[in-house]
Amino acid sequence: MASLLLPSPTSSSTSPPSSLSSSLFSRSSLNHRCLRANEHRSRICLRNVVKCSLSEPLNGKPCVPILNDGSLSKFLASKRLESAVHRSNNRLKIFSGTANPSLSQEIAWYMGLDLGRIKIKRFADGEIYVQLQESVRGCDVYLVQPTCPPANENLMELLIMIDACRRASAKNITAVIPYFGHGISGTVKAHFLVPKLYQNEKMLHRTQGRESIAAKLVANLITEAGADRVLACDLHSGQSMGYFDIPVDHVYCQPVILDYLASKTIRSNDLVVVSPDVGGVARARAFAKKLSDAPLAIVDKRRYGHNLAEVMNLIGDVKGKVAVMVDDMIDTAGTIAKGAALLHDEGAREVYACSTHAVFSPPAVERLSSGLFQEVIITNTIPVMEKNYFPQLTVLSVANLMGETIWRVHDDCSVSSIFQ
């Protein structure tokens, strides 16, 4: 069977899933970089889902790579920079918060840098203490901290880190937020544009009297704390960028997931991309275009409460096809699980779920591991707790994408050209 669908001579049906040498980046602007021949890294993966070069996991647990173990996979090794000294890195510092230190470490490895030394601790009453343990005077500082659960705790830590850098005379401060946790509250204004056909349903994201817009408040807090720029991945609503009064670089993680799907042996005429709701049609359409303009199906959903939704019907044909459901985040997995059940009822042969942010609030894991999905593909913008792993889960790293974006911001180069 023909491999799916990205035009590269390396993405054939005989390529093992773990070999992601067909990377979009290796075919674009990263070709000029030198490769390190003796380093291999295994990306985060699961047993019997993606072949890893690491040893077999114990007790059936997923295989999670240990950083600094000298076993980088070909995919990440091919993106490593052999001589970072050729780039202007003397004034570039990367610091990690406590929300996702493993992703921060991978980003630093890609860039050929060491993470900055920082001390973060909690006092007995829960207050957060931050101290930079190296000078950042006159430096461009990048603070990697997603505001994932516990969202308020991680947000406050980010604000204090920004304040510490500002008081230490950093030249520029960029908040690198792989997951912007208060973005859901930023979608309320968008529903003024929804046709009257959809305004009759009880959509709690619609603007209502006396409710807050937390995304705007958080944007103000980050700005007032002293950040000069924000770098965020797959915002729940693109309009959230407008809430900031400072520049925002919006990083799309689709290339990472598309790269992985390219290693699958799925025939192009068997594929259909599915949006789990009407609001995600634009995202699914863009995803389908990258898959040789695959057909699109839409799940018609009615929301009647926070994290509560009812699936009404399916728009499009999925009978006998491999359905790829695309969403920006999976929270309780209610919407995507009900949509998958409907796809099976309509005759879909297999169902894949693809999402950037794995929030995995209970009972998400139970729903996702119930047998509805052939595979659940996510990224590591949010760290996945060990208890939330299940056999169908595949975790892809966005470290190379984030690292390249940071370099381009630092060197005043185009970021959007990465995705063209």
Side-chain angles (χ1 to χ4, degrees):
M1 294 187 294
S3 65
L4 180 153
L5 285 164
L6 298 176
S8 168
T10 62
S11 58
S12 65
S13 60
T14 60
S15 299
S18 62
S19 175
L20 299 183
S21 58
S22 61
S23 169
L24 295 178
F25 303 113
S26 65
R27 295 194 298 273
S28 60
S29 61
L30 300 185
N31 278 334
H32 67 284
R33 309 216 189 286
C34 298
L35 307 181
R36 283 193 174 182
N38 297 323
E39 292 185 325
H40 305 280
R41 170 180 290 170
S42 293
R43 64 171 173 79
I44 300 175
C45 63
L46 297 180
R47 190 177 185 180
N48 299 325
V49 176
V50 180
K51 184 179 179 182
C52 291
S53 60
L54 294 180
S55 58
E56 288 294 314
L58 300 177
N59 301 322
K61 294 180 181 179
C63 181
V64 181
I66 300 174
L67 296 176
N68 300 317
D69 69 346
S71 57
L72 300 180
S73 70
K74 294 179 181 179
F75 177 60
L76 286 181
S78 66
K79 310 301 178 294
R80 290 291 305 279
L81 306 178
E82 184 179 55
S83 53
V85 294
H86 294 310
R87 309 189 75 154
S88 54
N89 64 350
N90 292 332
R91 291 293 181 179
L92 190 155
K93 303 277 188 178
I94 301 176
F95 293 91
S96 174
T98 61
N100 198 345
S102 60
L103 175 59
S104 304
Q105 181 68 76
E106 289 187 47
I107 293 172
W109 270 47
Y110 166 78
M111 299 180 68
L113 303 174
D114 294 323
L115 284 177
R117 298 189 304 275
I118 186 171
K119 181 179 181 180
I120 303 175
K121 70 175 185 178
R122 265 67 173 172
F123 291 110
D125 63 352
E127 293 182 32
I128 301 171
Y129 172 82
V130 173
Q131 181 190 32
L132 302 176
Q133 298 190 311
E134 61 183 79
S135 174
V136 296
R137 184 178 298 273
C139 295
D140 292 335
V141 176
Y142 294 81
L143 306 175
V144 183
Q145 173 80 342
T147 56
C148 52
N152 298 333
E153 181 92 356
N154 289 328
L155 171 63
M156 194 65 202
E157 183 178 303
L158 173 63
L159 296 175
I160 298 175
M161 290 170 65
I162 294 173
D163 181 72
C165 293
R166 178 176 63 85
R167 295 179 186 278
S169 301
K171 181 180 179 181
N172 292 299
I173 303 170
T174 299
V176 180
I177 310 176
Y179 170 68
F180 185 62
H182 293 79
I184 296 177
S185 299
T187 63
V188 290
K189 295 294 184 183
H191 293 288
F192 282 126
L193 305 178
V194 176
K196 291 184 178 180
L197 172 65
Y198 294 104
Q199 290 184 2
N200 293 327
E201 58 182 286
K202 298 178 181 178
M203 299 175 68
L204 295 190
H205 286 184
R206 181 178 57 188
T207 297
Q208 302 178 20
R210 300 176 297 281
E211 71 174 6
S212 68
I213 303 178
K216 173 58 178 174
L217 173 61
V218 171
N220 289 342
L221 289 172
I222 292 173
T223 303
E224 292 301 318
D228 299 292
R229 177 181 294 270
V230 168
L231 194 158
C233 290
D234 281 339
L235 294 168
H236 187 65
S237 174
Q239 67 185 13
S240 296
M241 291 187 292
Y243 292 150
F244 289 89
D245 296 325
I246 55 178
V248 178
D249 290 300
H250 193 186
V251 179
Y252 300 95
C253 296
Q254 281 189 358
V256 177
I257 298 176
L258 287 166
D259 251 2
Y260 178 74
L261 287 176
S263 68
K264 297 285 184 179
T265 55
I266 305 174
R267 296 183 51 155
S268 58
N269 56 359
D270 287 341
L271 180 71
V272 58
V273 176
V274 181
S275 172
D277 52 35
V278 174
V281 170
R283 182 185 305 109
R285 180 70 269 174
F287 196 87
K289 285 183 178 180
K290 297 293 180 66
L291 299 176
S292 295
D293 206 15
L296 183 68
I298 305 168
V299 175
D300 183 16
K301 178 191 73 174
R302 298 290 186 267
R303 185 173 291 281
Y304 56 91
H306 293 300
N307 298 122
L308 298 172
E310 179 182 0
V311 170
M312 305 300 292
N313 53 67
L314 179 69
I315 304 170
D317 179 27
V318 298
K319 187 174 182 180
K321 297 194 174 188
V322 176
V324 178
M325 301 187 75
V326 180
D327 209 349
D328 66 313
M329 61 182 289
I330 299 177
D331 189 1
T332 61
T335 296
I336 203 165
K338 290 179 180 178
L342 177 62
L343 293 174
H344 283 292
D345 292 341
E346 294 293 328
R349 189 170 80 243
E350 293 178 347
V351 178
Y352 289 80
C354 299
S355 178
T356 300
H357 309 299
V359 181
F360 284 1
S361 303
V365 174
E366 289 78 6
R367 289 168 171 169
L368 295 173
S369 60
S370 62
L372 291 171
F373 299 97
Q374 180 76 14
E375 192 171 358
V376 178
I377 305 167
I378 61 171
T379 73
N380 62 342
T381 56
I382 298 176
V384 180
M385 293 184 291
E386 185 176 345
K387 67 178 182 179
N388 287 338
Y389 280 96
F390 52 94
Q392 297 88 1
L393 184 66
T394 298
V395 183
L396 307 178
S397 177
V398 296
N400 57 343
L401 178 62
M402 299 290 290
E404 181 63 22
T405 303
I406 291 174
W407 268 130
R408 291 181 178 227
V409 170
H410 180 67
D411 291 343
D412 296 325
C413 297
S414 172
V415 172
S416 61
S417 62
I418 297 177
F419 311 103
Q420 294 174 358

